[in-house]
């Protein structure tokens, strides 16, 4: 829920390198939970490209279970965020449990101080981002 400290996540990217959410402290981070069939990517990509030079990034957590589908979705959607991660455990992912994700897509906006500012869809979070960057 909003207002609490964001739990750390430490998940592998498509190259097998683990990336910690806490390593991004000091940035405003959109933690986006999705699967290869999701459709919010257009909005998230637009927000990323608009605000990335102002200290905003995306920690994109896939709840896929198939590595090929996950990698193909990244490529097909041109998801050029530097932090695409997944443990490929689907709904059994610890990340989904810790963030209490019950449906997809689901996003959390994390402030520079590591606290959750907002949660919801990318569209809802876009309004909160405007408060910080415009």
């Amino acid at each position: 829920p909003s207002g609490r400290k964001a739990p750390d996540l430490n998940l592998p990217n498509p190259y097998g390198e683990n990336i910690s959410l806490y390593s991004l402290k000091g940035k405003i981070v959109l933690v986006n939970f999705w699967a290869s069939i999701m459709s919010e990517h257009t909005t998230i990509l637009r927000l990323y490209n608009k605000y990335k030079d102002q200290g905003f990034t995306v920690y994109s957590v896939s709840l896929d279970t198939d590595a090929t589908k996950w990698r193909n979705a990244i490529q097909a959607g041109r998801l050029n965020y530097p932090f695409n991660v997944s443990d490929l455990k689907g709904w059994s992912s610890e990340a989904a449990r810790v963030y209490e994700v019950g449906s997809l897509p689901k996003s959390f906006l994390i402030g520079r101080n590591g606290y959750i500012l907002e949660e919801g869809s990318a569209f809802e979070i876009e309004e909160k981002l405007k408060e910080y960057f415009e």
Side-chain angles (χ1 to χ4, degrees), residues 73-113:
I74 291 169
Q75 200 168 30
R78 294 184 177 88
L79 307 182
N80 60 340
Y81 334 116
F83 309 110
N84 282 297
V85 297
S86 182
D87 57 12
L88 297 173
K89 293 181 180 175
W91 286 104
S92 299
S93 174
E94 180 70 6
R97 187 192 66 74
V98 170
Y99 274 81
E100 302 171 8
V101 176
S103 63
L104 295 177
K106 179 77 170 192
S107 293
F108 298 83
L109 187 63
I110 313 296
R112 296 180 196 279
N113 62 0

Side-chain angles (χ1 to χ4, degrees), residues 46-47 50-51 54 126-134:
R46 182 174 46 76
L47 295 173
K50 184 174 183 179
Y51 298 120
Q54 298 177 56
E126 182 172 9
E127 294 306 310
K128 195 72 166 178
L129 272 176
K130 288 178 183 176
E131 292 176 24
Y132 288 94
F133 294 120
E134 294 180 9

Side-chain angles (χ1 to χ4, degrees), residues 17-74:
E17 304 159 331
N18 275 29
I19 300 169
S20 165
L21 176 61
Y22 281 10
S23 72
L24 307 177
K25 192 168 183 176
K27 293 183 177 288
I28 293 182
V29 180
L30 179 70
V31 177
N32 173 244
F33 287 87
W34 64 286
S36 57
I37 56 168
M38 303 317 312
S39 62
E40 274 194 328
H41 295 306
T42 313
T43 301
I44 294 170
L45 264 173
R46 182 174 46 76
L47 295 173
Y48 174 71
N49 289 323
K50 184 174 183 179
Y51 298 120
K52 67 182 177 182
D53 295 333
Q54 298 177 56
F56 173 73
T57 196
V58 176
Y59 190 86
S60 183
V61 182
S62 170
L63 294 185
D64 278 300
T65 56
D66 182 301
T68 302
K69 284 184 180 176
W70 173 45
R71 288 185 185 103
N72 288 345
I74 291 169

